[in-house]
Amino acid sequence: MSSYYQEKIERASRDEMRALQDERIVKQVQHVYKNVAPYREKMKEKGVEPGDIKSIDDLGKLPFTTKDDLRDGYPYGYLAMPLADCVRIQSTSGTTGKRVVAFYTQHDIDLWEDCCARSIVAVGGTKDDVVHVSYGYGLFTGGPGLNGGSHKVGSLTLPMSSGLTERQIQFMTDLGSTILCCTPSYAAMMAETIHAEGLIDDIKLKAGIFGAEAWSEEMRRDIEKNLRIKAYDIYGLTETTGPGVSYECSEQTGMHVNEDHFYPEIIDPDTLELLPEDSKGEIVFTNLTKEAFPLMRYRTRDITRLTRKECSCGRTLVKMAKPMGRSDDMLIIRGVNVFPSQIEAVLLGQGYQANYVIIVDRVNHTDTFEVQVEMPEHIFSDEVRKIEKSEGELLLAMRSVLGISPKVRLVAPRSIPRSEGKAVRVIDKRKI
């Protein structure tokens, strides 16, 4: 069987890909100008009309889109199709607890699943494989994306979702799972359990597709050793569609961008100047084919670089390096986007001062997440039981906003160091 899902696209010449991108950007700009009021207003402010966009070379004339724009437009501001034509939403958290809602037509879902299918085939997946999907389902894009991609390939799909590790391993051994899809930290956890139960010789895994959180090459090698597989990276954002924006191939030296659907640019995050390929900067994506929620020049805040160096797998799609950091203060913890501003909003809403520090670490390949908060004087003088009750109340409030449970620890007043400059709110000890 071919090692490509859509070989004509994945191995297209630069001229062929460029012609396709030129055609699609012209149609897409006309679509958003007609149907998305915020884009229409932004373009008018810049003095740009749809007719000014004749090819990808004209993309720089268009305004950028940010997560703040999407938050301000919640929920329907950036919807480009009648609601009757939309069949699904997916969602991610926003900076103030207000979520970003992405809409999909059936055509959008079909194309998204094609992108995920490319990833599965790139790691050796065929219709004879058993694809074990342990990403979360529901609003999170991981589970639905890889689930649909597996269906497109024709593989037997196990829609396991996350958690219930014992059951995961039972299905993995009984049904002969061959490709595992989940966060790298969950893969590491499953590996520990598999070895503890003496089942390593009973699993048939050959490959893993791991994303949604940052992970190091050292972690990749540990997972590969402990699960006896090849571990591959996948990248995506709910805002642009979900996983499958880019994916690793057998070379494991970067992720091929599905640039027939997502046009990438690298910019200087400070000057917003477009940078040449092979330059390190913030990656920006423009949806070329999405109908319901097409984003123009969306600033991901992820720092990476692009290269067209020839790849041994035969794909000609541009490659992006594993993200090297971010240009904002967002943290990705166990696959969840967390902003310090979200935590600050919870504290102020609960009557605390904004004196806190977030401590993130990685223990046995799993993220730990602690929030230390200074107690008001009246709590500090209370008994331990009341302090624990206050910590529990803060934990529930944070979990409802963040979608993830930190360890909350109330500390003595004035015990968190002050700074004369910008306050240090985050201590990230992870080596990623």
Side-chain angles (χ1 to χ4, degrees):
M1 182 175 178
S2 170
S3 57
Y4 311 99
Y5 176 69
Q6 293 170 319
E7 184 172 359
K8 184 177 179 180
I9 290 292
E10 294 176 72
R11 302 191 69 185
S13 69
R14 293 312 315 151
D15 288 344
E16 290 170 334
M17 181 60 70
R18 176 55 187 266
L20 184 61
Q21 292 168 339
D22 287 346
E23 176 187 349
R24 288 179 171 178
I25 191 60
V26 169
K27 291 180 180 178
Q28 191 72 296
V29 170
Q30 293 171 347
H31 176 54
V32 299
Y33 189 87
K34 177 181 178 181
N35 297 295
V36 183
Y39 279 132
R40 187 162 56 249
E41 294 305 314
K42 280 187 171 188
M43 288 176 65
K44 286 180 178 179
E45 287 174 10
K46 291 196 70 172
V48 181
E49 296 182 353
D52 297 327
I53 309 301
K54 298 179 173 63
S55 73
I56 283 293
D57 286 340
D58 296 319
L59 198 58
K61 298 176 182 178
L62 296 176
F64 290 103
T65 311
T66 67
K67 179 165 275 194
D68 283 343
D69 292 328
L70 303 183
R71 180 195 66 195
D72 293 342
Y74 173 90
Y76 294 122
Y78 282 79
L79 179 61
M81 294 288 284
L83 207 55
D85 293 332
C86 299
V87 298
R88 189 194 298 176
I89 68 157
Q90 304 288 160
S91 181
T92 185
S93 61
T95 56
T96 61
K98 185 179 286 188
R99 305 186 71 88
V100 173
V101 176
F103 298 84
Y104 300 73
T105 64
Q106 186 58 54
H107 182 62
D108 292 334
I109 291 173
D110 288 340
L111 296 184
W112 176 24
E113 291 177 349
D114 283 342
C115 290
C116 290
R118 292 180 190 178
S119 170
I120 292 170
V121 173
V123 307
T126 72
K127 64 181 181 62
D128 297 319
D129 279 289
V130 179
V131 178
H132 190 113
V133 184
S134 296
Y135 286 111
Y137 282 67
L139 292 174
F140 182 59
T141 56
L146 272 301
N147 189 98
S150 177
H151 284 190
K152 285 292 186 77
V153 175
S155 307
L156 177 63
T157 309
L158 308 188
M160 301 300 299
S161 194
S162 56
L164 299 175
T165 304
E166 295 291 340
R167 186 177 70 179
Q168 299 263 5
I169 295 171
Q170 179 186 346
F171 273 75
M172 187 178 290
T173 55
D174 292 350
L175 294 174
S177 304
T178 56
I179 298 175
L180 174 62
C181 305
C182 63
T183 62
S185 58
Y186 193 55
M189 179 187 294
M190 280 202 276
E192 289 180 4
T193 305
I194 288 168
H195 281 278
E197 296 184 359
L199 296 173
I200 188 60
D201 291 331
D202 296 330
I203 66 170
K204 298 179 181 178
L205 292 177
K206 66 179 184 181
I209 299 174
F210 306 131
E213 64 187 17
W215 53 308
S216 63
E217 285 301 312
E218 179 184 24
M219 187 174 186
R220 185 208 297 265
R221 301 310 167 204
D222 282 347
I223 292 172
E224 289 185 331
K225 177 182 176 182
N226 292 331
L227 286 179
R228 301 175 183 174
I229 63 172
K230 295 286 285 183
Y232 300 90
D233 212 343
I234 191 170
Y235 175 88
L237 309 95
T238 301
E239 293 88 343
T240 54
T241 197
V245 171
S246 63
Y247 61 93
E248 272 192 323
C249 62
S250 57
E251 196 172 270
Q252 294 178 298
T253 57
M255 293 170 280
H256 289 285
V257 178
N258 284 314
E259 56 179 312
D260 54 322
H261 300 296
F262 314 99
Y263 186 81
E265 300 173 277
I266 295 290
I267 65 167
D268 183 310
D270 297 319
T271 67
L272 305 185
E273 176 189 1
L274 184 64
L275 300 177
E277 286 178 6
D278 293 318
S279 299
K280 180 179 176 182
E282 179 183 340
I283 193 162
V284 172
F285 285 108
T286 294
N287 286 115
L288 298 179
T289 54
K290 198 163 185 202
E291 294 179 330
F293 198 68
L295 298 186
M296 300 286 98
R297 307 193 81 195
Y298 181 70
R299 294 189 60 184
T300 68
R301 301 291 186 171
D302 286 322
I303 302 298
T304 183
R305 59 166 49 94
L306 296 173
T307 179
R308 293 198 180 277
K309 181 180 178 182
E310 185 176 344
C311 186
S312 61
C313 77
R315 289 173 179 81
T316 54
L317 298 169
V318 65
K319 265 186 179 178
M320 62 176 280
K322 182 188 288 286
M324 309 164 194
R326 291 186 58 82
S327 63
D328 62 5
D329 60 355
M330 190 184 84
L331 296 162
I332 301 178
I333 304 172
R334 283 175 255 154
V336 177
N337 298 346
V338 175
F339 290 87
S341 56
Q342 292 174 299
I343 291 171
E344 188 166 311
V346 170
L347 294 178
L348 295 174
Q350 296 289 317
Y352 292 81
Q353 296 296 313
N355 297 318
Y356 66 95
V357 64
I358 302 165
I359 302 173
V360 186
D361 204 347
R362 182 160 285 172
V363 179
N364 295 326
H365 300 310
T366 300
D367 290 341
T368 62
F369 176 24
E370 178 176 309
V371 181
Q372 295 182 5
V373 183
E374 286 188 3
M375 289 182 278
E377 292 287 350
H378 69 278
I379 293 180
F380 181 59
S381 60
D382 279 338
E383 58 187 83
V384 172
R385 184 175 300 175
K386 290 185 178 180
I387 293 174
E388 290 177 345
K389 180 183 177 183
S390 297
E391 289 175 338
E393 290 171 347
L394 269 181
L395 169 61
L396 290 175
M398 289 186 189
R399 183 169 63 191
S400 68
V401 170
L402 304 175
I404 188 174
S405 296
K407 177 182 179 182
V408 176
R409 188 156 70 90
L410 292 175
V411 299
R414 296 177 297 281
S415 63
I416 293 177
R418 302 315 197 249
S419 172
E420 294 182 358
K422 184 177 180 181
V424 178
R425 297 298 191 200
V426 178
I427 300 173
D428 194 338
K429 300 180 179 179
R430 298 173 295 180
K431 296 179 180 179
I432 51 180

